[in-house]
Amino acid sequence: MLTAIIVMAGLTEHASAYQRTVHFRTNREEATVAGTVEGEEVVQYKVPARVGHFLLIGCNAKSSKVSFWVRDPGGAEVYNSRVHNAAAYVGRPEQDGVYVVGVFLRKADAARGHAAFFHLRVLRKSLPEG
């Protein structure tokens, strides 16, 4: 029973995470957002994309404490900067939908309650067919 309560609490916490939407100006392919991530929070952004788009998502921070992940519309993690050891996610969506980008602190820094400012740059370009 205790396990079920813990699992349900984890599902509730994930479901209630606040997600901001990345807005692209009319006729623009690029958007930049900035924010601060603190402690164990994961700052999340929704990026709408379609098959035929090219996505480049990069996170820039003065602090090496900041990392980010990208999840596809089905919720599968397709990129994690801590694992891939690369500065940016580059991909072509395999399905239409909303990709979610999560910005977070390294585990030790999060546990100490540190905070860091970041810039998230998103390039969403339509590729020619063929």
Side-chain angles (χ1 to χ4, degrees):
M1 173 124 172
L2 181 57
T3 303
I5 292 171
I6 293 170
V7 170
M8 291 300 287
L11 290 174
T12 304
E13 178 181 327
H14 184 268
S16 65
Y18 178 72
Q19 296 177 341
R20 300 157 179 94
T21 300
V22 174
H23 296 284
F24 294 86
R25 292 186 180 174
T26 306
N27 298 324
R28 295 287 185 150
E29 298 173 332
E30 186 176 343
T32 303
V33 294
T36 301
V37 61
E38 185 175 347
E40 296 188 12
E41 78 175 323
V42 178
V43 180
Q44 296 183 29
Y45 294 92
K46 298 186 294 186
V47 180
R50 294 190 317 262
V51 171
H53 278 158
F54 166 83
L55 283 178
L56 182 136
I57 302 171
C59 186
N60 210 354
K62 288 182 181 178
S63 171
S64 62
K65 303 172 190 175
V66 178
S67 298
F68 75 104
W69 48 252
V70 178
R71 292 188 179 145
D72 69 14
E77 188 173 281
V78 295
Y79 175 84
N80 188 316
S81 63
R82 286 184 29 186
V83 175
H84 291 90
N85 210 13
Y89 165 75
V90 178
R92 293 180 71 170
E94 296 179 7
Q95 59 184 321
D96 294 350
V98 175
Y99 283 69
V100 178
V101 180
V103 181
F104 61 97
L105 295 176
R106 292 184 317 206
K107 193 171 262 187
D109 297 304
R112 290 186 197 104
H114 290 181
F117 184 75
F118 65 89
H119 287 276
L120 191 65
R121 178 178 175 228
V122 180
L123 176 67
R124 181 185 68 182
K125 184 171 178 73
S126 295
L127 298 175
E129 292 185 31

